Amino acid sequence: MSALLTLAWRSAWNRRATLSLVLLSVALSTFLLLGFEQVRTDVRENFSQSVSGTDLVVGARTGSVQLMLYAVFRVGSATNNIRMSSVEAIAKHRAVAWVVPLSLGDTHRGYAVLGTTADYFNRFLYGDREPLVLAQGRAFADGIDGLYGAVLGAEVADALGYRLGSKLTLTHGAGGLPGAEHADKPFTVVGILARTGTPVDRTVHISLQSMEAIHIDWVGGAPMPGVSIAPDQARKFDLTPKVVTAALVGLKGRAAVFNVQRFVADYADEPLMAVLPGVALDELWDVVGVGEKALIGMSAMVGVVSLAGLVAVVMAGLNERRRELAVLRAVGAAPRHVLLLLAGEGLLITLCGALLGVLSTGLFIALAAPWVQAHYGVNLKLSAPSAAQWSLFAAVVVAGAVASLIPAWRAYRWSLADGLSPRV
């Protein structure tokens, strides 16, 4: 067997110019399969950890996916707001450690505006329980002192060119309507967050009191005719929020999560629901994960084309190798040796291509990880291949070995006379 493998290697090396293209195509298909699996796994992990330090997300009764979409990903809008008194009642539950209210609805040049408390910057965790970090400036303060101060996500600051001290105005709702801008109450950028790879990067953060201040002279989603309250005058009003969009809840112990969830579901004053972020995010990934299946299919098709190229190249070279194989038969090689020789060539080419693909994947992850982390906040991990990646690697090698049996079987069936006297 070792002699046949040596012969197969030397035969392949003799035709290295042609076979190198096949080897590269196999390497490319392996790189796509393994690379996409690595990126998919890391992106899914980052997606699932968009909020990792929160035990429950509370909002108006709706679907769990919809609640996560607007409360965490700033997509869509709430079916209804919830009373601040309800949030305070949840905060008083004996099993609840902290509550951070969220108020959504306004935008700034297409980016979501989130009204919350200063505690948000201490309580909100993402990834592997990583805290938010201010790259520049400071967080706004609760109350009058933090009025008209904005903390920007990294993407907002980079895309719009904002720096500390920059002025900005917010837009009521999604904008697009005349007079929808809160131009009379501009905000000042007091802080810019470090990139997280989560929806936080695409959010403008203000205090709950600020959210109340810019709407103090609005009724029913429109400014009151003939009424304009100056920014400084708004400080004299009671800016305590009456309603919010949702709330993040942290518990004293994970064992109480279902107890608090039932408490919220049975709350008598208004219909509420509490969802576990991890469970809801898994459901959400199932909804948006159709694209990954399409990409896996495309990568698999590239692999099939590569193996088809391997078969085509070997089959095309058989006519040129008829005399070579006939000589082998003449010196005592059995038909099975001819079959093993060609199958061995195909296996070696596939194995070398697959190994090159593995090395290319590792090199790509090592080189691209810092750039992807800086621009998209996704942490690509350079690690030993996972079980799924080993399975894909084995699938490529096995498929290559099976594909190489097609020309090997054809050569097996050739007779000695056919090899010595080829038909023209």
Side-chain angles (χ1 to χ4, degrees):
M1 180 59 70
S2 60
L4 278 175
L5 289 175
T6 302
L7 185 61
W9 173 257
R10 291 181 177 178
S11 177
W13 180 254
N14 189 52
R15 294 175 291 115
R16 59 187 178 275
T18 303
L19 294 180
S20 61
L21 297 177
V22 180
L23 186 146
L24 288 176
S25 67
V26 174
L28 176 61
S29 63
T30 306
F31 167 76
L32 288 175
L33 286 169
L34 299 186
F36 178 73
E37 175 62 24
Q38 180 70 45
V39 172
R40 184 192 69 84
T41 301
D42 290 340
V43 168
R44 179 163 188 169
E45 183 176 345
N46 279 262
F47 179 89
S48 299
Q49 295 179 343
S50 295
V51 50
S52 62
T54 300
D55 295 306
L56 291 170
V57 178
V58 176
R61 195 166 295 171
T62 181
S64 59
V65 171
Q66 183 180 359
L67 176 56
M68 292 301 295
L69 279 174
Y70 68 73
V72 175
F73 293 95
R74 323 288 192 248
V75 176
S77 58
T79 56
N80 200 4
N81 288 326
I82 61 177
R83 299 184 194 128
M84 192 63 183
S85 59
S86 301
V87 175
E88 293 169 350
I90 295 171
K92 294 176 182 178
H93 192 282
R94 63 179 181 278
V96 173
W98 54 265
V99 173
V100 174
L102 310 175
S103 184
L104 293 157
D106 285 3
T107 59
H108 173 67
R109 298 175 65 176
Y111 292 100
V113 174
L114 171 65
T116 185
T117 63
D119 206 26
Y120 172 87
F121 301 102
N122 300 319
R123 299 298 187 182
F124 186 91
L125 303 177
Y126 69 97
D128 189 16
R129 301 186 70 83
E130 298 178 46
L132 296 178
V133 176
L134 282 160
Q136 301 177 46
R138 58 176 176 81
F140 56 74
D142 289 328
I144 301 301
D145 293 337
L147 215 57
Y148 309 125
V151 177
L152 307 184
E155 184 176 324
V156 179
D158 291 344
L160 303 181
Y162 287 138
R163 299 180 178 179
L164 294 181
S166 297
K167 299 292 184 178
L168 57 91
T169 56
L170 309 183
T171 303
H172 188 77
L177 296 176
E181 191 171 6
H182 299 288
D184 60 328
K185 296 179 178 68
F187 282 75
T188 302
V189 177
V190 298
I192 298 175
L193 293 166
R195 191 173 292 274
T196 64
T198 70
V200 172
D201 297 340
R202 303 184 294 277
T203 305
V204 177
H205 305 82
I206 63 175
S207 68
L208 288 174
Q209 290 79 13
S210 299
M211 186 70 80
E212 292 295 314
I214 60 178
H215 293 102
I216 198 168
D217 49 8
W218 285 58
V219 174
M224 291 186 290
V227 178
S228 179
I229 299 176
D232 288 337
Q233 291 179 331
R235 299 174 184 272
K236 301 176 182 179
F237 290 82
D238 180 13
L239 300 179
T240 303
K242 304 298 187 294
V243 295
V244 292
T245 307
L248 306 179
V249 178
L251 304 180
K252 296 176 181 177
R254 290 284 295 174
V257 64
F258 295 112
N259 184 23
V260 177
Q261 192 176 34
R262 283 194 302 271
F263 170 79
V264 173
D266 297 337
Y267 189 70
D269 289 355
E270 64 175 324
L272 300 175
M273 71 176 300
V275 300
L276 282 74
V279 175
L281 287 173
D282 286 341
E283 293 179 13
L284 182 55
W285 181 265
D286 291 337
V287 174
V288 302
V290 177
E292 74 171 1
K293 296 177 182 177
L295 291 175
I296 291 175
M298 291 175 62
S299 301
M301 288 302 298
V302 172
V304 171
V305 171
S306 300
L307 296 177
L310 170 64
V311 174
V313 169
V314 177
M315 290 284 284
L318 280 181
N319 283 334
E320 301 175 2
R321 302 178 65 189
R322 274 181 163 179
R323 291 188 181 277
E324 173 192 341
L325 298 177
V327 170
L328 288 176
R329 292 286 304 280
V331 296
R336 68 177 183 276
H337 294 142
V338 174
L339 184 145
L340 291 174
L341 174 65
L342 270 73
E345 285 184 18
L347 178 61
L348 285 173
I349 295 168
T350 305
L351 185 59
C352 290
L355 289 173
L356 181 59
V358 172
L359 294 176
S360 300
T361 302
L363 183 62
F364 169 79
I365 297 297
L367 295 178
W371 183 87
V372 173
Q373 173 68 32
H375 287 78
Y376 298 101
V378 177
N379 184 23
L380 298 181
K381 300 176 182 177
L382 181 61
S383 58
S386 63
Q389 290 175 311
W390 280 122
S391 298
L392 291 172
F393 176 84
V396 171
V397 175
V398 170
V402 172
S404 63
L405 290 176
I406 298 175
W409 177 253
R410 183 177 180 183
Y412 174 83
R413 299 186 62 184
W414 282 352
S415 65
L416 178 60
D418 182 50
L420 292 175
S421 304
R423 294 187 292 270
V424 297

